[in-house]
Amino acid sequence: DGRIRNKGSGGSAAGVETPRPLADPKEAEVLQPSCWCQEGSIQHMNLTYVGNGNGTFERVMNYDYVGHGRGSFEREEVVTPGGWNMKKIGICVSSSVLGAFLLVFLCHFWSGRVRDALAAWKPALVGYYDCNDGLDNWAAGWDQGKKEWCCRMHQQGCAPPNRGCDTTCNYRRQDAACRKRIQWGATHQFKNHIQACARSYQMVIGQCPYC
């Protein structure tokens, strides 16, 4: 008859399985894609040979439901993934690149605005200091509050341990012992001057009060 028939009795009496109609194997269902950049997947049914008497359908010309364990074929689901939609991919890539450039621009723009606002409002901000301002001569030029804040927040302007003439003096971002600075001043800055050592000492004290 040009079909695959059900090998069962086809009745509905007690203990007899009622055959179910088989959808056309050529019919296909379009599934929603898992990715926005893909087309929808296509799902259709195949009938696979599983051995004589082991399947649910029997082949005549088409396939008919014949009951569980009575046929030679069984259905299996085959999903064919949809192809990539190049137009959608192009939109995704373009949007990502544009978004990245926009994010970089906004970060740069707003960081500058915030920095300018802090610089303008810093007298009203309790405890805020610009620790790069006057850093070359911080020991003599900063007040105690700024020294403590910058030391705590940025490890700048920290008072050195008191070692007498060997105390470290930081001037113009260079470290040297007070003794060496005084000796250098006496033999270079005040060379051939009367009381060169005393004058050099006064100069170093003006640069490094910790000496």
Side-chain angles (χ1 to χ4, degrees):
D1 58 2
R3 299 179 304 158
I4 286 185
R5 59 185 177 81
N6 187 317
K7 290 175 61 179
S9 62
S12 59
V16 179
E17 183 178 3
T18 302
R20 294 186 294 105
L22 174 66
D24 186 350
K26 295 182 180 180
E27 292 181 359
E29 180 182 359
V30 178
L31 303 179
Q32 292 295 325
S34 58
C35 174
W36 184 79
C37 295
Q38 282 185 291
E39 299 288 356
S41 301
I42 299 175
Q43 174 179 288
H44 59 86
M45 291 291 182
N46 278 351
L47 285 162
T48 304
Y49 183 75
V50 295
N52 189 23
N54 294 325
T56 309
F57 298 88
E58 191 62 69
R59 181 174 185 178
V60 180
M61 290 296 291
N62 293 319
Y63 297 90
D64 281 346
Y65 179 80
V66 294
H68 183 71
R70 298 178 181 178
S72 302
F73 293 83
E74 192 57 87
R75 293 189 301 180
E76 67 174 7
E77 292 185 359
V78 178
V79 178
T80 303
W84 292 101
N85 187 316
M86 299 309 296
K87 182 177 180 179
K88 292 181 178 179
I89 291 176
I91 294 175
C92 287
V93 173
S94 300
S95 300
S96 299
V97 173
L98 181 60
F101 276 110
L102 182 60
L103 181 62
V104 170
F105 172 77
L106 289 176
C107 288
H108 179 74
F109 176 78
W110 285 110
S111 63
R113 286 293 185 92
V114 171
R115 185 171 57 250
D116 293 343
L118 287 175
W121 297 342
K122 73 177 182 179
L125 299 177
V126 177
Y128 172 81
Y129 295 95
D130 182 357
C131 297
N132 290 316
D133 184 20
L135 184 59
D136 286 350
N137 189 32
W138 66 268
W142 289 1
D143 60 40
Q144 189 61 30
K146 182 172 182 178
K147 289 177 182 178
E148 293 177 356
W149 192 89
C150 290
C151 181
R152 183 175 66 253
M153 301 300 295
H154 300 288
Q155 292 73 52
Q156 294 176 330
C158 301
N162 188 350
R163 298 192 181 98
C165 291
D166 292 322
T167 300
T168 299
C169 170
N170 181 278
Y171 180 67
R172 294 185 178 177
R173 309 190 190 189
Q174 298 293 325
D175 288 336
C178 296
R179 182 194 309 274
K180 292 184 177 180
R181 288 191 179 275
I182 294 170
Q183 290 174 349
W184 186 92
T187 57
H188 293 79
Q189 186 78 15
F190 299 104
K191 184 178 180 180
N192 299 325
H193 284 68
I194 299 174
Q195 298 180 340
C197 289
R199 298 180 70 174
S200 178
Y201 173 74
Q202 292 299 323
M203 177 189 72
V204 173
I205 287 293
Q207 299 169 353
C208 300
Y210 300 105
C211 291

